[in-house]
Amino acid sequence: MKLFVDCKKAGHLCDKGQYEDASFFEKLSVRMHVMMCKQCAKYSERNAKLTKLLKDSKCKQMPEECKKRIREELARELAKKPE
């Protein structure tokens, strides 16, 4: 893997880092790129903010039984003939 990457690759590696899938070398490549590229630095900063907001959020996932009930209700409504 190259140490210096283009913007497209840096964006991909930044996303991998957000999900904690990036290796040490990939994180290093992103940091090197971000030091030289203002646009990617802004992208990386926004990505970091988004990650922090999602980790700190108090959002809860809807239970599967509720999702199933909504899907069934939606299917019934879609199956009705228009008047």
Side-chain angles (χ1 to χ4, degrees), residues 29-60:
S29 295
V30 170
R31 287 188 188 264
M32 294 289 291
H33 183 86
V34 165
M35 287 192 304
M36 297 180 285
C37 180
K38 288 183 181 181
Q39 289 176 326
C40 289
K42 288 180 185 178
Y43 179 81
S44 180
E45 184 180 320
R46 287 192 311 263
N47 226 14
K49 284 181 185 178
L50 177 62
T51 300
K52 184 179 181 327
L53 286 171
L54 289 173
K55 284 183 178 180
D56 294 345
S57 73
K58 293 177 177 48
C59 295
K60 295 183 180 175

Side-chain angles (χ1 to χ4, degrees), residues 3-51:
L3 182 59
F4 296 102
V5 294
D6 62 11
C7 291
K8 185 175 181 179
K9 184 72 173 177
H12 175 71
L13 294 177
C14 183
D15 294 341
K16 280 181 75 173
Q18 179 183 7
Y19 297 108
E20 299 173 7
D21 289 338
S23 69
F24 172 77
F25 191 76
E26 289 172 328
K27 290 176 188 177
L28 181 63
S29 295
V30 170
R31 287 188 188 264
M32 294 289 291
H33 183 86
V34 165
M35 287 192 304
M36 297 180 285
C37 180
K38 288 183 181 181
Q39 289 176 326
C40 289
K42 288 180 185 178
Y43 179 81
S44 180
E45 184 180 320
R46 287 192 311 263
N47 226 14
K49 284 181 185 178
L50 177 62
T51 300

